[in-house]
Amino acid sequence: MHISYSIASMRELRDQQVRYAPREKKLEQIAQTERLLCEVEPDRIYTYEYVCYRITHFRPESHLDVTFTGKEISHDLRLFLDDLSDAARLAVNSVGEKVVTIEELAERFNVSTKTICRWRRYGLISRRFVMDGRKRVGFLESAVSRFVAQNSDKVRRGSQFSQLTSLEREKIVERARRLAQAGGSAAEVVRRIARKTGRSPETIRYTLRQFDSEHREAAVFDDGQGPIRVDTKMKIWQQYNSGESVELIARRFGRTRASIYRIVSDIRAQRIGELPLDCVVNDEFPKAMRMPKREKRVLAELPPCDEPQKKARLPSGLPPYLASLYEVPLLSRTQEAHLFRKLNYLKYKAGQLREKLDGGLPKSSVMDQIEQLYEEAQATKNQIVRANLRLVVSIAKRHVGPSENFFELVSDGNISLMRAVEKFDYSRGFKFSTYASWAVIKNFARTIPDEHRYRDRFRTSHSEMFSVTEDARADFMEQELTQNNRQSQVEKILNTLDEREQKIIISRFGLRGEQDLTLKEVGAEMGVTKERIRQLEARALNKLRKAVEEEKIEYFS
């Protein structure tokens, strides 16, 4: 069973370090996390800033006010240690001491493997190692010794606790059957048997679940009273959608037909609740919902084009995708307004019906209507998008350069076009092509390669004159002297930065003869995220601008 993080900021830290930290950094952070885990006191309050610094030696920019108890952070630190060691692919022979598996530890202390898993929750520190070509949970001998020394009573009780005999299992099953037939729920049955036998609820629950899986015909909870997992619900939903009969599904999962219908209805309502039904609301929509004639006009078929259109001439030699765009006619202003009104009204009406759904007993007829409205809205949106794909191609042709892939630009532009369709307000009277062009061009400004952005960002005021002005440069000696002067000025202002900021600026802009690197490459080299490098770079550039203004260096402001 997957156990999730209880602290959101720790989950974000896990994602950053697992994805971007180099392996050497991961190994350092594994050791630092284990040391911190040994020091955490359950009742003490800790800050995220302190925990992040202890693990990474960097102070975070966000979540500075987040606090949690030692018990909460211990839980997440164990998960963090597992995930980080899993990503680092630790070999057993690389840690310098003996590694014990769960099975070996269970045999040593004469306990079950489930007991070992419970000990992990109580402080037995584990890592993930590569053993015989696959990843498995293991324990350092030093971690085992430390846990035994700190929890001697718990280890002794576990060693003395015997396994269930066959007779005890039979008695537990029979007692559970009687309680279930008397109307007890699965949770109540487990609690009462655990209290009666002195066994843990986990042991009773596992015993009953194992019996039910092995004896479907005589299962204790064959009437559907047992707890049902999320993955089981999804399997029922998938089989129902594939056309399986409710009777067959109910028999297969040991459930009643009513429970199968209820599960299907709940999942369907959940998915309807996740549908993106945001729309641009117009004053006429509420009236259209109350007046069938108005609604009929809004949802009518596409009116004929009221503007004469010239048939587009198909250029020769076009790839199949571009040639297919010319087969879709452009929309007139009237057609465009009609489709946008229809799209937003369909989503508006679906949203109004969704608000009226009863969370406990959603009606199938209402859900059918919402799904039909959403499908019609998607079809209308696709109709608008197809009619404007040529616009994206025309803009991409103006932005493509020697280092860009034309079809990648078109693909990015198409995504911006789809988003623009969702946000466009047709009631203002503007043509959609104007709004869409702005959205696509803005997206291209973000997606062009980094070197083009930097080239435009640091262009001097005389760059436009270079192509039209006669070359009147001074001799080479003067140029070399000027260049050396500039280099000394650059070194001077670089010295205003700290060591980390200098390294980022030098790596990002290829100073001192080094190759310029991307944000991601610099982050991987320094063991932090790309976003953190971007923040440090922005701060360093602000310092450099102030230094340039103070020194009055030409062309660097």
Side-chain angles (χ1 to χ4, degrees), residues 21-119:
R23 187 172 185 273
E24 294 74 19
K25 291 288 183 182
K26 289 187 176 76
L27 296 178
E28 293 177 8
Q29 292 173 8
I30 288 171
Q32 290 155 190
T33 302
E34 187 166 343
R35 281 196 295 271
L36 176 60
L37 191 53
C38 294
E39 299 172 9
V40 169
E41 300 176 10
D43 298 327
R44 185 178 172 184
I45 301 298
Y46 295 85
T47 65
Y48 172 73
E49 181 182 11
Y50 170 80
V51 172
C52 181
Y53 181 79
R54 285 292 305 273
I55 295 173
T56 66
H57 290 321
F58 284 98
R59 298 201 180 276
E61 293 290 327
S62 58
H63 306 299
L64 299 180
D65 56 344
V66 175
T67 60
F68 26 72
T69 64
K71 183 178 180 180
E72 293 172 328
I73 191 58
S74 294
H75 170 272
D76 282 11
L77 285 176
R78 287 194 293 272
L79 297 181
F80 184 85
L81 190 59
D82 271 3
D83 292 340
L84 209 58
S85 59
D86 182 76
R89 297 187 63 83
L90 288 175
V92 175
N93 55 7
S94 67
V95 293
E97 64 177 290
K98 184 179 179 182
V99 176
V100 188
T101 65
I102 292 180
E103 292 77 13
E104 293 171 343
L105 206 58
E107 184 177 357
R108 177 189 299 184
F109 294 105
N110 191 30
V111 296
S112 67
T113 56
K114 291 179 70 65
T115 300
I116 301 298
C117 292
R118 284 197 296 272
W119 287 359

Side-chain angles (χ1 to χ4, degrees), residues 492-506:
K492 185 176 181 180
I493 62 174
L494 278 177
N495 289 333
T496 62
L497 305 176
D498 60 36
E499 183 179 351
R500 182 171 60 171
E501 291 170 340
Q502 283 189 35
K503 183 176 181 181
I504 291 173
I505 294 297
I506 290 170

Side-chain angles (χ1 to χ4, degrees), residues 243-279:
E244 296 276 7
S245 66
V246 175
E247 291 79 4
L248 180 59
I249 297 174
R251 204 160 48 243
R252 184 177 296 155
F253 288 91
R255 298 274 160 178
T256 63
R257 292 177 55 191
S259 66
I260 298 299
Y261 279 120
R262 185 168 59 252
I263 291 169
V264 170
S265 179
D266 289 344
I267 296 179
R268 191 180 175 194
Q270 178 183 349
R271 297 204 166 195
I272 287 176
E274 296 171 355
L275 290 177
L277 297 180
D278 296 335
C279 63

Side-chain angles (χ1 to χ4, degrees), residues 530-555:
K530 178 176 70 174
E531 175 62 21
R532 179 59 178 154
I533 293 297
R534 186 194 65 75
Q535 295 170 356
L536 293 173
E537 178 191 346
R539 186 170 68 186
L541 289 175
N542 286 333
K543 290 184 179 180
L544 291 178
R545 292 190 185 98
K546 293 179 181 178
V548 165
E549 291 175 359
E550 292 174 358
E551 297 293 331
K552 298 182 180 179
I553 299 176
E554 189 180 3
Y555 298 133

Side-chain angles (χ1 to χ4, degrees), residues 202-218:
E202 290 84 3
T203 301
I204 303 301
R205 190 178 297 110
Y206 175 80
T207 302
L208 295 177
R209 186 180 298 139
Q210 187 178 32
F211 177 84
D212 286 354
S213 63
E214 294 174 355
H215 306 84
R216 283 289 183 184
E217 302 80 11

Side-chain angles (χ1 to χ4, degrees), residues 182-392:
S185 66
E188 182 182 358
V189 168
V190 168
R191 282 197 304 270
R192 292 183 64 178
I193 295 177
R195 193 163 54 246
K196 182 73 175 178
T197 60
R199 298 283 182 173
S200 68
E202 290 84 3
T203 301
I204 303 301
R205 190 178 297 110
Y206 175 80
T207 302
L208 295 177
R209 186 180 298 139
Q210 187 178 32
F211 177 84
D212 286 354
S213 63
E214 294 174 355
H215 306 84
R216 283 289 183 184
E217 302 80 11
V220 176
F221 296 110
D222 60 343
D223 59 350
Q225 293 182 14
I228 184 166
R229 300 189 302 272
V230 175
D231 57 340
T232 304
K233 290 183 178 181
M234 293 309 300
K235 289 178 182 177
I236 292 174
W237 167 256
Q238 292 166 1
Q239 293 181 17
Y240 178 82
N241 277 345
S242 65
E244 296 276 7
S245 66
V246 175
E247 291 79 4
L248 180 59
I249 297 174
R251 204 160 48 243
R252 184 177 296 155
F253 288 91
R255 298 274 160 178
T256 63
R257 292 177 55 191
S259 66
I260 298 299
Y261 279 120
R262 185 168 59 252
I263 291 169
V264 170
S265 179
D266 289 344
I267 296 179
R268 191 180 175 194
Q270 178 183 349
R271 297 204 166 195
I272 287 176
E274 296 171 355
L275 290 177
L277 297 180
D278 296 335
C279 63
V280 180
V281 182
N282 192 278
D283 293 339
E284 64 178 316
F285 291 172
K287 299 177 183 178
M289 284 194 66
R290 295 193 303 269
M291 304 172 67
K293 288 185 178 180
R294 286 199 176 195
E295 184 180 66
K296 187 176 181 181
R297 285 199 300 270
V298 172
L299 301 180
E301 294 296 324
L302 185 68
C305 183
D306 55 358
E307 302 172 4
Q309 292 187 0
K310 294 182 180 180
K311 187 175 181 180
R313 184 175 64 84
L314 181 65
S316 59
L318 283 180
Y321 169 72
L322 298 182
S324 66
L325 302 184
Y326 286 85
E327 299 175 2
V328 181
L330 301 178
L331 298 174
S332 66
R333 185 182 292 269
T334 303
Q335 290 176 321
E336 190 176 89
H338 173 78
L339 288 178
F340 273 104
R341 179 169 56 247
K342 181 178 180 180
L343 167 65
N344 287 282
Y345 177 72
L346 288 167
K347 295 172 73 174
Y348 172 82
K349 185 175 181 180
Q352 295 296 310
L353 292 173
R354 183 169 67 180
E355 291 179 1
K356 298 177 181 178
L357 270 181
D358 185 353
L361 295 170
K363 291 184 178 180
S364 297
S365 58
V366 179
M367 291 192 289
D368 290 339
Q369 192 176 0
I370 294 174
E371 290 173 344
Q372 182 180 355
L373 289 170
Y374 182 71
E375 289 176 3
E376 292 180 15
Q378 290 300 105
T380 305
K381 176 184 175 180
N382 292 337
Q383 191 174 358
I384 297 172
V385 170
R386 283 196 299 270
N388 287 275
L389 289 177
R390 270 189 274 171
L391 174 66
V392 176

